[in-house]
Amino acid sequence: MGESRKLLLFVSNPGEGVFNSLRVIAAELARRGTQDLWFASDEARRADIEKIDEGSGVRFASLGETDPNSSPADWDDEMYRLATQRSRWKAHHAVVRRGFDPKGGGDKYLALDALVEELEPALMIFDSVNPVALLVALNRRIPFVLSSPFLPSNLYIAKTPRGFPMLHTGLPLNMSFPQRVSNIMFKVRAGLMFLHPKMLKPALEGLSYMRQLQLPREFLSPSAKIDRADLVLCYTVFGLEYPFPVPDKFHLLGAIIPPLPEAPDDDDLSRWLDANPSVVYIGLGTISRLTGHEVHAVVEVARRLEGRHAVLWKLPSGQQHLLPPRDELPANLRIESWVPSQLDVLAHPSIKVFFSHGGANAFHEGLYFGKPQVIRPLWVDCYDQAIRGVDSGVSLTVDDPQTIDVEDVLDKITQVLNTPSFRERAEHFARVQREAGGVRAAADLILANLALK
């Protein structure tokens, strides 16, 4: 291809947490008439990209089938238990070990490298947890943009000030003495983790693999993706994230929200929301695996709210067999296995509080629509969002995330509903996120990149 081509290549892991924001940005660029847009991901994401029909459209390139072990939704019960256990350190260690792949995905690397050789993109845009795309971009010397729904300190922890909470600790900025000790120990153990035999062996294998591909070993450095990126787009704002200095290439844009409504034909749910002026929305994430006890506890929470508030609960179909018989469910509870658009739900004025798992996307999307939250953190980074929600005055966290205690959850929901400051702070961060620019600002920054001039 000639140098006049200014082709943009999006690359994404298939997980919804990182995929959705890139899909929305690609659609925005297509809507503006941007030519030569490509999107590479696993075959399972083909339909999501091919249905983007705005403007110039986006062409899809498959990187093959999804590794069933790569998605948390597909983990076996033991891995799920390890990743969501009570110990913050042990959960962090388990997740890092599971995702540690110094070979950069092997076949995925070769597939993406061949695609890049064919397309010769002027710029790559990919998620911040994508070692395959990073290695290809670095090796081919292609300018790239990082996309991250995570807190910027999650990416830039090595540059945060002394005493800043380590990622995945769930610790506040202002720590007690025991918390400071815990934070230091967490950092030390994280630094030594790669000397563990189960981490050292694959790391050495990765170095050997890098030599085979003739890639410099410094490409494996944790800071390589930040140091070499043209732009880093993070979907939060300071005030939710704790303050710390970031380089000019970091842009905090707030949640990435597409044009709404996403599901304009969902009349039945819309009518139900219209008919219930105060609704608690429960969406505990696609990864959560509730026990029978926890499912019955949520039903009881809804029962206790009857007469004052309705409850909309997104409960996956695979867990609905744990529900009591239909005739024993409270009249104020509506259960959906899937909502066509969680964003449409959160945008509805009847939603007064969001009971969530505290995932980065759910946390910021809820606040984008001014919804205060009650958070039951599921795993690693969810604890970081949860403590920032408490410190910014937009949410409360359940006392014991390892279970669902009816009295505690009901108390937290009632406090958030009845205390105006939670709604006021949530609405404040709704305004701040909109001012940050979201998807429009992301598209502007990408199109302004010198690689496209």
Side-chain angles (χ1 to χ4, degrees):
M1 294 184 178
E3 291 185 3
S4 61
R5 290 288 299 273
K6 299 297 183 182
L7 187 146
L8 278 74
L9 175 61
F10 287 81
V11 186
S12 180
N13 283 309
E16 289 187 7
V18 293
F19 171 82
N20 281 340
S21 51
L22 285 169
R23 174 186 58 82
V24 172
I25 295 170
E28 173 67 17
L29 291 173
R31 192 176 299 113
R32 296 185 184 195
T34 308
Q35 301 298 310
D36 293 325
L37 290 172
W38 283 75
F39 201 113
S41 189
D42 290 4
E43 181 63 28
R45 287 301 183 182
R46 178 183 292 275
D48 295 299
I49 298 303
E50 290 186 342
K51 70 181 181 183
I52 296 174
D53 57 3
E54 297 100 327
S56 61
V58 184
R59 298 182 66 179
F60 180 77
S62 177
L63 298 179
E65 299 301 323
T66 301
D67 178 356
N69 294 318
S70 65
S71 171
D74 298 322
W75 283 347
D76 60 32
D77 289 341
E78 177 60 15
M79 183 59 209
Y80 178 83
R81 184 193 66 79
L82 291 172
T84 59
Q85 64 184 296
R86 189 179 302 276
S87 167
R88 301 277 47 79
W89 164 252
K90 291 180 180 178
H92 169 85
H93 193 181
V95 169
V96 172
R97 277 181 53 188
R98 185 56 175 254
F100 183 56
D101 183 9
K103 293 185 178 181
D107 292 343
K108 299 286 186 188
Y109 174 89
L110 297 175
L112 181 59
D113 191 58
L115 178 67
V116 167
E117 184 174 25
E118 176 189 351
L119 296 180
E120 298 180 4
L123 183 68
M124 293 174 65
I125 305 102
F126 51 85
D127 60 276
S128 60
V129 286
N130 198 324
V132 171
L134 176 64
L135 289 178
V136 171
L138 290 174
N139 190 46
R140 295 277 180 176
R141 293 179 173 81
I142 298 171
F144 64 91
V145 175
L146 286 180
S147 166
S148 176
F150 307 109
L151 298 166
S153 58
N154 190 298
L155 300 179
Y156 215 50
I157 192 66
K159 302 295 184 180
T160 53
R162 185 177 181 181
F164 197 93
M166 176 69 174
L167 79 162
H168 301 170
T169 60
L171 290 171
L173 182 62
N174 297 316
M175 302 180 206
S176 65
F177 178 74
Q179 287 174 327
R180 290 198 298 272
V181 172
S182 177
N183 193 48
I184 292 170
M185 292 303 298
F186 198 108
K187 287 185 178 182
V188 171
R189 295 174 79 180
L192 297 175
M193 181 170 55
F194 291 90
L195 298 179
H196 190 284
K198 291 185 178 180
M199 298 290 282
L200 185 58
K201 182 179 178 181
L204 294 174
E205 291 174 349
L207 288 174
S208 175
Y209 184 74
M210 296 284 280
R211 286 194 293 269
Q212 292 175 31
L213 296 176
Q214 299 182 326
L215 299 176
R217 62 187 299 172
E218 57 265 26
F219 284 4
L220 287 177
S221 165
S223 65
K225 60 185 176 184
I226 302 298
D227 296 340
R228 303 293 186 94
D230 280 29
L231 294 171
V232 182
L233 308 180
C234 289
Y235 310 133
T236 184
V237 290
F238 281 125
L240 294 174
E241 169 62 298
Y242 297 135
F244 73 99
V246 295
D248 291 341
K249 69 173 70 177
F250 266 76
H251 296 268
L252 277 61
L253 305 179
I256 299 297
I257 306 295
L260 298 182
E262 284 190 306
D265 299 327
D266 190 19
D267 295 332
D268 182 56
L269 181 56
S270 295
R271 284 193 295 268
W272 184 85
L273 288 169
D274 291 342
N276 291 279
S278 181
V279 177
V280 175
Y281 174 50
I282 302 176
L284 297 175
T286 57
I287 301 172
S288 292
R289 303 178 189 180
L290 300 181
T291 65
H293 168 78
E294 291 165 348
V295 167
H296 280 252
V298 173
V299 171
E300 182 60 24
V301 168
R303 193 184 313 281
R304 303 273 192 96
L305 292 169
E306 194 169 6
R308 295 171 292 147
H309 311 281
V311 177
L312 173 63
W313 183 14
K314 186 176 74 172
L315 178 66
S317 56
Q319 298 177 47
Q320 291 194 15
H321 69 281
L322 301 172
L323 288 164
R326 183 171 294 274
D327 60 1
E328 296 180 13
L329 296 175
N332 67 327
L333 174 61
R334 176 170 178 146
I335 298 172
E336 298 284 348
S337 60
W338 187 252
V339 293
S341 171
Q342 179 162 279
L343 297 177
D344 287 351
V345 170
L346 289 169
H348 198 283
S350 290
I351 302 297
K352 303 304 182 185
V353 64
F354 182 21
F355 180 27
S356 83
H357 66 303
N361 287 304
F363 178 70
H364 292 99
E365 289 166 0
L367 293 176
Y368 183 91
F369 295 107
K371 310 302 182 183
Q373 299 178 35
V374 173
I375 297 177
R376 181 207 183 202
L378 175 63
W379 68 332
V380 292
D381 71 297
C382 300
Y383 286 83
D384 296 336
Q385 275 86 238
I387 190 62
R388 284 157 174 79
V390 170
D391 283 355
S392 59
V394 300
S395 67
L396 293 175
T397 304
V398 300
D399 291 341
D400 184 3
Q402 296 298 305
T403 187
I404 294 180
D405 179 88
V406 173
E407 298 297 337
D408 178 46
V409 172
L410 188 64
D411 174 63
K412 297 296 193 303
I413 289 175
T414 302
Q415 284 189 58
V416 171
L417 285 168
N418 294 342
T419 307
S421 64
F422 287 105
R423 175 182 53 80
E424 292 164 359
R425 291 295 291 167
E427 290 175 348
H428 165 75
F429 283 109
R431 292 189 294 272
V432 172
Q433 288 197 77
R434 282 171 167 77
E435 290 168 0
V439 64
R440 293 185 301 278
D444 289 344
L445 288 164
I446 290 169
L447 292 175
N449 190 278
L450 291 176
L452 302 181
K453 301 302 181 182

